[in-house]
Amino acid sequence: MAPVLQIGRMSVPAEVDAEWNAWYSGEYVPGYRKVPGVICARRYRVLEGSSGYGTVYEFANTGVPESAEWKEQQAHSSPNSPRMRQAMTHAPGSPGVYVRVNA
């Protein structure tokens, strides 16, 4: 198991759900998987609770989301990113909830 997890929870309006899913799975997450120190990224549909989706990134260390490569991906992940990000509503405390799983 990865030593660090980043857990994100988000919802999107029903009218953009299909487009958002295509963007998130096809453009957004694949770019982050290429960032050094990212072990894996998975997205889940939430069946119970107030958020529609959950994303878990596995990192090699706590510095991954502070790296230049991560920030570059954040700034230039896709031409569709600004519009799709505006459609998302993040749950309180999300994104950027870091959990160290190994001491």
Coordinates of all heavy atoms in Angstrom, one line a residue:
M1 N 0.8 -1.2 0.0 CA 0.0 0.0 0.0 C 0.9 1.2 0.0 O 2.0 1.3 0.6 CB -0.9 0.0 1.2 CG -1.8 1.3 1.3 SD -3.0 1.2 2.6 CE -4.2 0.2 1.8
A2 N 0.4 2.3 -0.7 CA 1.1 3.5 -0.7 C 1.2 4.2 0.7 O 0.3 4.0 1.5 CB 0.4 4.5 -1.7
P3 N 2.3 4.9 0.9 CA 2.5 5.5 2.2 C 1.6 6.7 2.4 O 1.4 7.1 3.6 CB 4.0 5.9 2.3 CG 4.4 5.9 0.9 CD 3.5 5.0 0.1
V4 N 1.1 7.3 1.4 CA 0.3 8.5 1.5 C -0.9 8.5 0.5 O -0.8 8.1 -0.6 CB 1.1 9.8 1.1 CG1 0.3 11.1 1.2 CG2 2.3 9.9 2.1
L5 N -2.1 8.8 1.0 CA -3.3 8.9 0.2 C -3.8 10.3 0.2 O -3.8 11.0 1.2 CB -4.4 8.0 0.8 CG -4.1 6.5 1.0 CD1 -5.3 5.8 1.6 CD2 -3.7 5.9 -0.4
Q6 N -4.3 10.8 -1.0 CA -5.1 12.0 -1.1 C -6.5 11.6 -1.5 O -6.6 10.9 -2.5 CB -4.5 12.9 -2.1 CG -5.3 14.2 -2.3 CD -4.8 15.1 -3.3 OE1 -3.7 15.7 -3.0 NE2 -5.4 15.2 -4.4
I7 N -7.4 12.0 -0.7 CA -8.8 11.6 -0.9 C -9.6 12.8 -1.3 O -9.6 13.8 -0.5 CB -9.4 10.9 0.3 CG1 -8.5 9.7 0.7 CG2 -10.8 10.5 0.1 CD1 -8.8 9.2 2.1
G8 N -10.3 12.8 -2.4 CA -11.2 13.9 -2.8 C -12.6 13.4 -3.0 O -12.8 12.3 -3.4
R9 N -13.5 14.3 -2.6 CA -15.0 13.9 -2.7 C -15.6 15.1 -3.5 O -15.4 16.2 -3.1 CB -15.6 13.7 -1.4 CG -15.0 12.5 -0.7 CD -15.5 12.4 0.8 NE -15.0 13.5 1.5 CZ -15.7 14.2 2.4 NH1 -17.0 14.0 2.6 NH2 -15.2 15.2 3.0
M10 N -16.4 14.8 -4.5 CA -17.0 15.9 -5.3 C -18.3 15.4 -5.9 O -18.6 14.3 -6.0 CB -16.0 16.4 -6.4 CG -15.8 15.4 -7.5 SD -14.6 14.1 -7.2 CE -13.1 14.9 -7.0
S11 N -19.1 16.4 -6.2 CA -20.3 16.2 -6.9 C -20.4 17.1 -8.2 O -19.7 18.2 -8.2 CB -21.5 16.6 -6.0 OG -21.6 15.7 -4.9
V12 N -21.2 16.7 -9.1 CA -21.4 17.6 -10.3 C -22.9 17.5 -10.7 O -23.6 16.6 -10.4 CB -20.6 17.1 -11.6 CG1 -19.1 17.2 -11.3 CG2 -20.9 15.6 -11.9
P13 N -23.4 18.6 -11.3 CA -24.8 18.6 -11.7 C -25.1 17.5 -12.7 O -24.3 17.2 -13.5 CB -25.0 20.0 -12.3 CG -23.8 20.8 -11.8 CD -22.7 19.8 -11.6
A14 N -26.3 17.0 -12.6 CA -26.7 15.9 -13.5 C -26.6 16.3 -15.0 O -26.2 15.4 -15.8 CB -28.2 15.5 -13.2
E15 N -26.8 17.5 -15.3 CA -26.8 17.9 -16.7 C -25.4 17.9 -17.3 O -25.2 17.9 -18.6 CB -27.4 19.3 -16.9 CG -26.8 20.4 -16.2 CD -27.4 20.7 -14.8 OE1 -28.1 19.8 -14.3 OE2 -27.0 21.7 -14.3
V16 N -24.3 17.9 -16.5 CA -23.0 17.8 -17.1 C -22.3 16.5 -16.7 O -21.1 16.3 -17.0 CB -22.1 19.0 -16.7 CG1 -22.7 20.3 -17.2 CG2 -21.9 19.1 -15.2
D17 N -23.0 15.6 -16.0 CA -22.4 14.4 -15.5 C -21.7 13.5 -16.5 O -20.5 13.2 -16.3 CB -23.4 13.5 -14.8 CG -22.8 12.4 -14.0 OD1 -22.2 12.6 -12.9 OD2 -23.0 11.2 -14.4
A18 N -22.3 13.3 -17.6 CA -21.7 12.4 -18.7 C -20.4 13.1 -19.3 O -19.4 12.5 -19.4 CB -22.6 12.1 -19.8
E19 N -20.5 14.4 -19.5 CA -19.4 15.1 -20.1 C -18.2 15.2 -19.0 O -17.1 15.0 -19.3 CB -19.8 16.6 -20.5 CG -18.7 17.4 -21.0 CD -19.1 18.8 -21.4 OE1 -20.2 19.3 -20.9 OE2 -18.3 19.5 -22.0
W20 N -18.6 15.5 -17.8 CA -17.6 15.5 -16.7 C -16.9 14.2 -16.5 O -15.7 14.2 -16.4 CB -18.3 16.0 -15.4 CG -17.4 16.2 -14.3 CD1 -16.7 17.3 -14.0 CD2 -17.0 15.2 -13.3 NE1 -15.9 17.1 -12.9 CE2 -16.0 15.8 -12.4 CE3 -17.3 13.9 -13.1 CZ2 -15.5 15.2 -11.4 CZ3 -16.7 13.2 -12.0 CH2 -15.8 13.9 -11.1
N21 N -17.6 13.1 -16.6 CA -17.0 11.8 -16.4 C -16.0 11.5 -17.6 O -15.0 11.0 -17.4 CB -18.1 10.7 -16.4 CG -18.6 10.5 -15.0 OD1 -17.8 10.0 -14.1 ND2 -19.8 10.9 -14.7
A22 N -16.4 11.9 -18.8 CA -15.5 11.7 -20.0 C -14.2 12.5 -19.8 O -13.1 12.0 -20.0 CB -16.2 12.1 -21.2
W23 N -14.4 13.7 -19.3 CA -13.2 14.6 -19.1 C -12.4 14.0 -18.0 O -11.1 13.9 -18.1 CB -13.7 16.0 -18.7 CG -12.6 16.8 -18.1 CD1 -11.6 17.4 -18.7 CD2 -12.5 17.2 -16.7 NE1 -10.8 18.1 -17.8 CE2 -11.4 18.0 -16.6 CE3 -13.3 16.9 -15.6 CZ2 -11.0 18.5 -15.3 CZ3 -12.9 17.4 -14.4 CH2 -11.7 18.2 -14.2
Y24 N -13.0 13.7 -16.8 CA -12.2 13.3 -15.7 C -11.4 12.0 -15.9 O -10.3 11.9 -15.6 CB -13.2 13.1 -14.5 CG -12.5 13.2 -13.1 CD1 -12.4 14.5 -12.5 CD2 -12.0 12.1 -12.5 CE1 -11.8 14.6 -11.3 CE2 -11.4 12.2 -11.3 CZ -11.2 13.5 -10.7 OH -10.6 13.6 -9.4
S25 N -12.1 11.0 -16.5 CA -11.5 9.7 -16.8 C -10.5 9.7 -18.0 O -9.5 9.0 -18.0 CB -12.5 8.6 -17.0 OG -13.3 8.5 -15.8
G26 N -10.9 10.5 -19.0 CA -10.1 10.5 -20.2 C -9.0 11.5 -20.4 O -8.1 11.3 -21.1
E27 N -9.2 12.7 -19.7 CA -8.2 13.7 -19.8 C -7.5 14.1 -18.5 O -6.3 14.3 -18.4 CB -8.9 15.0 -20.3 CG -9.5 14.8 -21.7 CD -10.3 16.1 -22.1 OE1 -9.9 17.2 -21.7 OE2 -11.3 15.9 -22.8
Y28 N -8.3 14.2 -17.4 CA -7.8 14.8 -16.2 C -6.9 13.8 -15.4 O -5.7 14.0 -15.2 CB -9.0 15.2 -15.3 CG -8.6 15.9 -14.1 CD1 -8.2 17.2 -14.1 CD2 -8.8 15.3 -12.8 CE1 -7.9 17.9 -13.0 CE2 -8.5 16.0 -11.7 CZ -8.1 17.3 -11.7 OH -7.8 18.0 -10.6
V29 N -7.4 12.7 -15.0 CA -6.7 11.7 -14.2 C -5.5 11.1 -14.9 O -4.4 10.9 -14.3 CB -7.6 10.6 -13.7 CG1 -6.8 9.5 -13.0 CG2 -8.6 11.2 -12.6
P30 N -5.6 10.8 -16.2 CA -4.4 10.2 -16.9 C -3.2 11.1 -16.8 O -2.1 10.6 -16.7 CB -4.9 10.0 -18.3 CG -6.3 9.8 -18.2 CD -6.8 10.7 -17.1
G31 N -3.4 12.4 -16.9 CA -2.2 13.3 -16.8 C -1.6 13.2 -15.4 O -0.3 13.3 -15.2
Y32 N -2.4 13.1 -14.3 CA -1.8 13.1 -13.0 C -1.1 11.7 -12.7 O -0.2 11.7 -12.0 CB -3.0 13.2 -12.0 CG -3.3 14.7 -11.8 CD1 -4.5 15.2 -12.4 CD2 -2.5 15.5 -11.0 CE1 -4.8 16.6 -12.2 CE2 -2.9 16.9 -10.8 CZ -4.0 17.4 -11.4 OH -4.3 18.7 -11.3
R33 N -1.6 10.7 -13.4 CA -0.9 9.4 -13.2 C 0.6 9.4 -13.7 O 1.4 8.6 -13.4 CB -1.6 8.3 -14.0 CG -2.9 7.9 -13.3 CD -3.6 6.7 -14.0 NE -4.7 6.3 -13.3 CZ -5.9 6.0 -13.9 NH1 -6.0 6.0 -15.2 NH2 -6.9 5.6 -13.2
K34 N 0.9 10.4 -14.6 CA 2.2 10.5 -15.1 C 3.2 11.3 -14.2 O 4.4 11.4 -14.4 CB 2.2 11.2 -16.5 CG 1.4 10.3 -17.5 CD 1.3 11.1 -18.8 CE 0.4 10.3 -19.8 NZ 0.2 11.1 -21.0
V35 N 2.6 12.0 -13.2 CA 3.4 12.8 -12.3 C 4.3 11.9 -11.4 O 3.8 10.9 -10.9 CB 2.5 13.7 -11.4 CG1 3.3 14.4 -10.3 CG2 1.8 14.7 -12.3
P36 N 5.6 12.2 -11.4 CA 6.5 11.4 -10.5 C 6.0 11.3 -9.1 O 5.6 12.3 -8.5 CB 7.8 12.1 -10.6 CG 7.8 12.8 -11.9 CD 6.3 13.2 -12.1
G37 N 6.0 10.1 -8.6 CA 5.5 9.9 -7.2 C 4.1 9.5 -7.1 O 3.6 9.1 -6.0
V38 N 3.3 9.6 -8.2 CA 1.9 9.2 -8.1 C 2.0 7.7 -8.4 O 2.4 7.3 -9.5 CB 1.0 9.9 -9.2 CG1 -0.3 9.3 -9.2 CG2 0.9 11.4 -8.8
I39 N 1.5 6.9 -7.5 CA 1.5 5.4 -7.7 C 0.2 5.0 -8.4 O 0.3 4.2 -9.3 CB 1.6 4.8 -6.3 CG1 2.9 5.1 -5.7 CG2 1.4 3.2 -6.4 CD1 3.0 4.8 -4.2
C40 N -0.9 5.6 -8.1 CA -2.2 5.2 -8.7 C -3.2 6.3 -8.4 O -3.1 7.0 -7.5 CB -2.6 3.9 -8.0 SG -4.0 3.1 -8.8
A41 N -4.2 6.3 -9.3 CA -5.4 7.2 -9.0 C -6.6 6.4 -9.4 O -6.6 5.8 -10.5 CB -5.2 8.4 -9.9
R42 N -7.6 6.4 -8.5 CA -8.8 5.7 -8.8 C -10.0 6.6 -8.4 O -9.9 7.4 -7.5 CB -8.9 4.5 -7.9 CG -7.9 3.4 -8.2 CD -8.1 2.2 -7.3 NE -7.1 1.2 -7.5 CZ -6.0 1.1 -6.7 NH1 -5.8 1.9 -5.7 NH2 -5.2 0.1 -7.0
R43 N -11.1 6.4 -9.2 CA -12.3 7.2 -8.9 C -13.4 6.3 -8.7 O -13.5 5.2 -9.3 CB -12.6 8.1 -10.1 CG -13.7 9.1 -9.9 CD -13.7 10.2 -10.9 NE -13.8 9.6 -12.3 CZ -14.9 9.4 -12.9 NH1 -16.1 9.8 -12.4 NH2 -14.9 8.9 -14.1
Y44 N -14.3 6.7 -7.8 CA -15.4 5.9 -7.4 C -16.7 6.7 -7.5 O -16.7 7.9 -7.2 CB -15.2 5.3 -6.0 CG -14.0 4.6 -5.8 CD1 -12.8 5.2 -5.4 CD2 -13.9 3.2 -5.9 CE1 -11.6 4.5 -5.2 CE2 -12.8 2.5 -5.8 CZ -11.6 3.2 -5.4 OH -10.5 2.5 -5.2
R45 N -17.8 6.0 -7.8 CA -19.1 6.7 -7.7 C -19.6 6.3 -6.3 O -19.6 5.2 -5.8 CB -20.1 6.1 -8.7 CG -21.5 6.8 -8.6 CD -22.4 6.4 -9.7 NE -22.0 6.7 -11.0 CZ -22.3 7.9 -11.6 NH1 -22.9 8.9 -10.9 NH2 -21.9 8.2 -12.8
V46 N -20.0 7.4 -5.5 CA -20.5 7.2 -4.2 C -22.0 6.8 -4.2 O -22.8 7.4 -4.9 CB -20.3 8.6 -3.4 CG1 -20.9 8.4 -2.0 CG2 -18.9 9.0 -3.3
L47 N -22.3 5.7 -3.5 CA -23.6 5.2 -3.5 C -24.5 5.7 -2.4 O -25.7 5.8 -2.5 CB -23.6 3.6 -3.5 CG -22.9 3.0 -4.6 CD1 -22.9 1.5 -4.4 CD2 -23.6 3.3 -6.0
E48 N -23.8 6.1 -1.3 CA -24.5 6.7 -0.1 C -23.7 7.9 0.3 O -22.5 7.9 0.3 CB -24.6 5.7 1.0 CG -25.4 4.4 0.7 CD -25.5 3.5 1.9 OE1 -25.2 4.0 3.1 OE2 -25.8 2.4 1.7
G49 N -24.5 8.9 0.8 CA -23.8 10.1 1.2 C -24.1 11.3 0.3 O -24.9 11.2 -0.7
S50 N -23.5 12.4 0.6 CA -23.8 13.6 -0.1 C -22.9 13.9 -1.4 O -23.3 14.7 -2.2 CB -23.7 14.8 0.8 OG -22.4 14.9 1.4
S51 N -21.8 13.2 -1.5 CA -20.9 13.4 -2.6 C -21.2 12.4 -3.7 O -21.6 11.3 -3.4 CB -19.5 13.3 -2.2 OG -19.1 14.3 -1.3
G52 N -21.1 12.8 -5.0 CA -21.4 11.9 -6.1 C -20.2 11.0 -6.4 O -20.4 9.9 -6.9
Y53 N -19.0 11.5 -6.2 CA -17.8 10.8 -6.6 C -16.7 10.9 -5.5 O -16.6 11.9 -4.8 CB -17.2 11.3 -7.9 CG -18.1 11.1 -9.0 CD1 -19.0 12.1 -9.5 CD2 -18.2 9.9 -9.7 CE1 -19.9 12.0 -10.5 CE2 -19.1 9.7 -10.8 CZ -19.9 10.8 -11.2 OH -20.8 10.6 -12.2
G54 N -15.8 9.9 -5.5 CA -14.7 9.9 -4.6 C -13.5 9.6 -5.4 O -13.6 8.7 -6.4
T55 N -12.3 10.2 -5.2 CA -11.1 9.9 -5.9 C -10.0 9.7 -4.8 O -9.9 10.4 -3.8 CB -10.7 11.1 -6.8 OG1 -11.7 11.4 -7.7 CG2 -9.4 10.8 -7.5
V56 N -9.2 8.7 -5.1 CA -8.1 8.3 -4.2 C -6.9 8.3 -5.0 O -6.8 7.6 -6.0 CB -8.3 7.0 -3.5 CG1 -7.1 6.6 -2.6 CG2 -9.6 7.0 -2.7
Y57 N -5.9 9.2 -4.6 CA -4.6 9.2 -5.2 C -3.7 8.5 -4.2 O -3.7 8.8 -3.1 CB -4.1 10.6 -5.5 CG -4.8 11.3 -6.7 CD1 -5.9 12.1 -6.5 CD2 -4.3 11.1 -7.9 CE1 -6.5 12.8 -7.5 CE2 -4.9 11.8 -9.0 CZ -6.0 12.6 -8.8 OH -6.6 13.2 -9.8
E58 N -2.8 7.6 -4.7 CA -1.8 7.0 -3.9 C -0.5 7.7 -4.3 O -0.1 7.7 -5.4 CB -1.7 5.5 -4.1 CG -3.0 4.8 -3.8 CD -2.9 3.3 -4.0 OE1 -1.8 2.8 -4.0 OE2 -4.0 2.7 -4.2
F59 N 0.2 8.2 -3.3 CA 1.5 8.9 -3.5 C 2.7 8.2 -2.8 O 2.5 7.6 -1.7 CB 1.4 10.3 -2.8 CG 0.5 11.3 -3.5 CD1 -0.1 12.2 -2.7 CD2 0.1 11.2 -4.8 CE1 -1.0 13.2 -3.3 CE2 -0.8 12.0 -5.4 CZ -1.4 13.0 -4.6
A60 N 3.8 8.3 -3.4 CA 5.0 7.8 -2.8 C 5.5 8.6 -1.5 O 6.1 8.0 -0.6 CB 6.2 7.8 -3.8
N61 N 5.1 9.9 -1.5 CA 5.5 10.7 -0.3 C 4.5 11.9 -0.3 O 3.8 12.2 -1.2 CB 6.9 11.1 -0.4 CG 7.2 11.9 -1.7 OD1 6.8 13.1 -1.8 ND2 7.9 11.3 -2.6
T62 N 4.6 12.7 0.8 CA 3.7 13.8 1.0 C 4.0 15.0 0.1 O 3.2 15.9 0.0 CB 3.7 14.3 2.5 OG1 5.1 14.6 2.8 CG2 3.2 13.2 3.4
G63 N 5.2 15.0 -0.5 CA 5.6 16.1 -1.3 C 5.0 16.1 -2.8 O 5.2 17.1 -3.5
V64 N 4.4 15.0 -3.2 CA 4.0 14.9 -4.5 C 3.0 16.0 -4.9 O 3.3 16.6 -6.0 CB 3.3 13.5 -4.8 CG1 2.6 13.4 -6.2 CG2 4.3 12.4 -4.6
P65 N 2.0 16.4 -4.2 CA 1.1 17.4 -4.6 C 1.7 18.8 -4.5 O 1.1 19.8 -5.0 CB -0.1 17.3 -3.7 CG 0.4 16.6 -2.5 CD 1.5 15.7 -3.0
E66 N 2.9 18.9 -4.0 CA 3.6 20.2 -3.9 C 4.7 20.3 -5.0 O 5.3 21.3 -5.1 CB 4.3 20.4 -2.5 CG 3.3 20.4 -1.4 CD 2.2 21.4 -1.6 OE1 2.4 22.5 -2.0 OE2 1.0 21.1 -1.3
S67 N 4.9 19.2 -5.8 CA 5.9 19.2 -6.8 C 5.6 20.1 -8.0 O 4.4 20.4 -8.3 CB 6.1 17.8 -7.2 OG 5.0 17.3 -8.0
A68 N 6.6 20.5 -8.7 CA 6.5 21.3 -9.9 C 5.6 20.5 -10.9 O 4.8 21.1 -11.6 CB 7.8 21.7 -10.4
E69 N 5.9 19.2 -11.0 CA 5.1 18.4 -12.0 C 3.6 18.4 -11.7 O 2.8 18.4 -12.6 CB 5.7 17.0 -12.1 CG 7.1 17.0 -12.6 CD 8.2 17.0 -11.5 OE1 7.9 17.5 -10.4 OE2 9.3 16.7 -11.8
W70 N 3.3 18.2 -10.4 CA 1.9 18.2 -10.0 C 1.2 19.6 -10.3 O 0.2 19.6 -10.9 CB 1.8 17.9 -8.6 CG 0.4 17.8 -8.1 CD1 -0.4 18.8 -7.6 CD2 -0.5 16.6 -8.0 NE1 -1.7 18.3 -7.2 CE2 -1.7 17.0 -7.5 CE3 -0.3 15.3 -8.4 CZ2 -2.8 16.1 -7.3 CZ3 -1.3 14.4 -8.2 CH2 -2.5 14.8 -7.6
K71 N 1.9 20.6 -10.0 CA 1.4 22.0 -10.2 C 1.3 22.3 -11.7 O 0.3 22.9 -12.1 CB 2.2 23.0 -9.5 CG 2.1 22.9 -8.0 CD 2.9 23.9 -7.2 CE 2.7 23.7 -5.7 NZ 3.4 24.6 -4.9
E72 N 2.2 21.8 -12.5 CA 2.1 22.0 -13.9 C 0.9 21.2 -14.5 O 0.1 21.7 -15.3 CB 3.4 21.4 -14.6 CG 3.3 21.5 -16.1 CD 3.3 22.9 -16.7 OE1 3.7 23.8 -16.0 OE2 2.9 23.0 -17.9
Q73 N 0.7 20.0 -14.0 CA -0.5 19.3 -14.4 C -1.8 20.0 -14.0 O -2.8 20.1 -14.7 CB -0.5 17.8 -13.9 CG -1.7 17.0 -14.1 CD -1.9 16.7 -15.6 OE1 -1.0 16.8 -16.4 NE2 -3.1 16.5 -16.0
Q74 N -1.8 20.5 -12.8 CA -3.0 21.2 -12.3 C -3.3 22.4 -13.1 O -4.5 22.7 -13.4 CB -2.6 21.7 -10.8 CG -3.8 21.7 -9.9 CD -3.3 21.9 -8.5 OE1 -2.2 22.4 -8.2 NE2 -4.1 21.5 -7.6
A75 N -2.3 23.1 -13.6 CA -2.5 24.3 -14.4 C -2.8 24.0 -15.8 O -3.5 24.8 -16.5 CB -1.2 25.2 -14.3
H76 N -2.4 22.9 -16.3 CA -2.5 22.7 -17.8 C -3.0 21.2 -18.1 O -2.6 20.6 -19.0 CB -1.2 22.9 -18.5 CG -0.6 24.2 -18.2 ND1 -1.1 25.4 -18.8 CD2 0.4 24.6 -17.4 CE1 -0.4 26.4 -18.4 NE2 0.5 26.0 -17.6
S77 N -3.9 20.7 -17.3 CA -4.3 19.3 -17.4 C -5.1 19.1 -18.7 O -5.0 18.0 -19.3 CB -5.2 18.9 -16.2 OG -6.3 19.7 -16.1
S78 N -5.9 20.1 -19.2 CA -6.7 19.9 -20.3 C -7.4 21.3 -20.7 O -7.7 22.0 -19.8 CB -7.8 18.9 -20.1 OG -8.9 19.1 -20.9
P79 N -7.6 21.5 -22.0 CA -8.4 22.7 -22.3 C -9.8 22.8 -21.7 O -10.3 23.8 -21.5 CB -8.4 22.7 -23.8 CG -7.4 21.7 -24.3 CD -7.2 20.8 -23.1
N80 N -10.3 21.6 -21.4 CA -11.6 21.6 -20.8 C -11.6 21.7 -19.2 O -12.7 21.8 -18.6 CB -12.3 20.2 -21.1 CG -12.5 20.1 -22.6 OD1 -13.0 21.0 -23.2 ND2 -12.1 19.0 -23.2
S81 N -10.5 21.7 -18.6 CA -10.4 21.7 -17.2 C -11.0 22.9 -16.5 O -11.8 22.8 -15.5 CB -8.9 21.6 -16.7 OG -8.5 20.3 -17.0
P82 N -10.8 24.1 -17.0 CA -11.4 25.3 -16.3 C -12.9 25.2 -16.2 O -13.5 25.3 -15.1 CB -11.0 26.5 -17.1 CG -9.7 26.1 -17.7 CD -9.9 24.6 -18.0
R83 N -13.6 24.8 -17.3 CA -15.0 24.7 -17.3 C -15.5 23.5 -16.5 O -16.5 23.6 -15.7 CB -15.5 24.5 -18.8 CG -17.0 24.5 -18.9 CD -17.4 24.6 -20.4 NE -16.7 23.6 -21.3 CZ -17.1 22.4 -21.4 NH1 -18.1 21.9 -20.7 NH2 -16.4 21.5 -22.2
M84 N -14.8 22.4 -16.6 CA -15.2 21.2 -15.8 C -15.0 21.4 -14.3 O -15.8 21.0 -13.5 CB -14.5 19.9 -16.3 CG -14.9 19.5 -17.7 SD -16.6 18.8 -17.8 CE -17.6 20.2 -18.3
R85 N -13.9 22.1 -13.9 CA -13.7 22.3 -12.5 C -14.8 23.2 -11.9 O -15.1 23.1 -10.8 CB -12.3 23.0 -12.3 CG -11.2 22.0 -12.4 CD -9.9 22.7 -12.0 NE -8.8 21.7 -12.0 CZ -7.7 21.9 -12.7 NH1 -7.5 23.0 -13.5 NH2 -6.7 21.0 -12.7
Q86 N -15.3 24.2 -12.7 CA -16.3 25.1 -12.3 C -17.6 24.3 -12.0 O -18.4 24.7 -11.2 CB -16.6 26.2 -13.3 CG -15.5 27.2 -13.3 CD -15.8 28.3 -14.3 OE1 -16.6 28.2 -15.1 NE2 -15.0 29.4 -14.1
A87 N -17.8 23.2 -12.7 CA -19.0 22.4 -12.5 C -18.9 21.5 -11.2 O -19.9 21.1 -10.7 CB -19.2 21.4 -13.7
M88 N -17.7 21.3 -10.7 CA -17.5 20.5 -9.5 C -17.8 21.2 -8.2 O -17.5 22.4 -8.1 CB -16.1 20.0 -9.4 CG -15.7 18.9 -10.3 SD -14.1 18.2 -9.9 CE -13.0 19.4 -10.4
T89 N -18.4 20.5 -7.3 CA -18.5 21.0 -5.9 C -17.8 20.1 -5.0 O -18.2 18.9 -5.0 CB -20.0 21.1 -5.5 OG1 -20.7 22.0 -6.4 CG2 -20.1 21.7 -4.1
H90 N -16.7 20.5 -4.4 CA -16.0 19.6 -3.5 C -16.7 19.6 -2.1 O -17.1 20.6 -1.6 CB -14.5 20.1 -3.3 CG -13.7 19.9 -4.5 ND1 -13.6 20.8 -5.5 CD2 -13.1 18.8 -4.9 CE1 -12.8 20.3 -6.5 NE2 -12.5 19.0 -6.1
A91 N -16.6 18.4 -1.5 CA -17.1 18.2 -0.1 C -16.2 19.0 0.8 O -15.0 19.2 0.5 CB -17.2 16.8 0.2
P92 N -16.7 19.4 2.0 CA -15.9 20.0 3.0 C -14.6 19.2 3.3 O -14.7 18.0 3.5 CB -16.8 20.1 4.2 CG -18.2 20.2 3.6 CD -18.1 19.3 2.4
G93 N -13.5 19.8 3.3 CA -12.2 19.2 3.6 C -11.6 18.5 2.4 O -10.6 17.8 2.5
S94 N -12.2 18.7 1.2 CA -11.8 18.0 0.0 C -11.6 19.0 -1.1 O -12.4 20.0 -1.1 CB -12.8 17.0 -0.4 OG -12.5 16.4 -1.6
P95 N -10.7 18.9 -2.0 CA -9.6 17.9 -2.0 C -8.5 18.2 -1.1 O -8.5 19.3 -0.4 CB -9.1 18.0 -3.5 CG -9.3 19.4 -3.8 CD -10.5 19.9 -3.1
G96 N -7.5 17.4 -1.1 CA -6.3 17.7 -0.3 C -6.4 17.1 1.1 O -5.7 17.6 2.0
V97 N -7.1 16.1 1.3 CA -7.2 15.4 2.6 C -6.1 14.4 2.5 O -6.2 13.4 1.8 CB -8.6 14.8 2.9 CG1 -8.6 14.1 4.2 CG2 -9.6 15.9 2.9
Y98 N -5.0 14.5 3.3 CA -3.9 13.6 3.2 C -4.0 12.7 4.5 O -4.2 13.1 5.6 CB -2.6 14.4 3.2 CG -2.5 15.3 2.1 CD1 -2.7 16.6 2.2 CD2 -2.1 14.8 0.8 CE1 -2.6 17.5 1.1 CE2 -2.0 15.6 -0.3 CZ -2.3 17.0 -0.1 OH -2.2 17.8 -1.2
V99 N -3.7 11.4 4.2 CA -3.7 10.4 5.3 C -2.4 9.6 5.1 O -2.2 9.0 4.1 CB -4.9 9.5 5.1 CG1 -4.9 8.4 6.3 CG2 -6.2 10.3 5.2
R100 N -1.6 9.6 6.1 CA -0.4 8.8 6.1 C -0.8 7.4 6.6 O -1.4 7.3 7.7 CB 0.7 9.4 7.0 CG 1.9 8.5 7.0 CD 3.1 9.1 7.8 NE 3.5 10.4 7.2 CZ 4.4 10.5 6.2 NH1 4.8 9.4 5.6 NH2 4.7 11.7 5.8
V101 N -0.6 6.4 5.8 CA -1.1 5.1 6.1 C 0.0 4.2 6.7 O -0.3 3.2 7.2 CB -1.8 4.4 4.9 CG1 -3.0 5.1 4.5 CG2 -0.8 4.3 3.7
N102 N 1.3 4.6 6.5 CA 2.4 3.8 7.1 C 3.2 4.8 7.8 O 3.6 5.9 7.3 CB 3.2 3.2 6.0 CG 2.5 2.1 5.3 OD1 1.6 1.4 5.9 ND2 2.8 1.9 4.0
A103 N 3.6 4.5 9.1 CA 4.4 5.4 9.9 C 5.9 5.2 9.5 O 6.3 4.3 9.0 CB 4.2 5.1 11.3

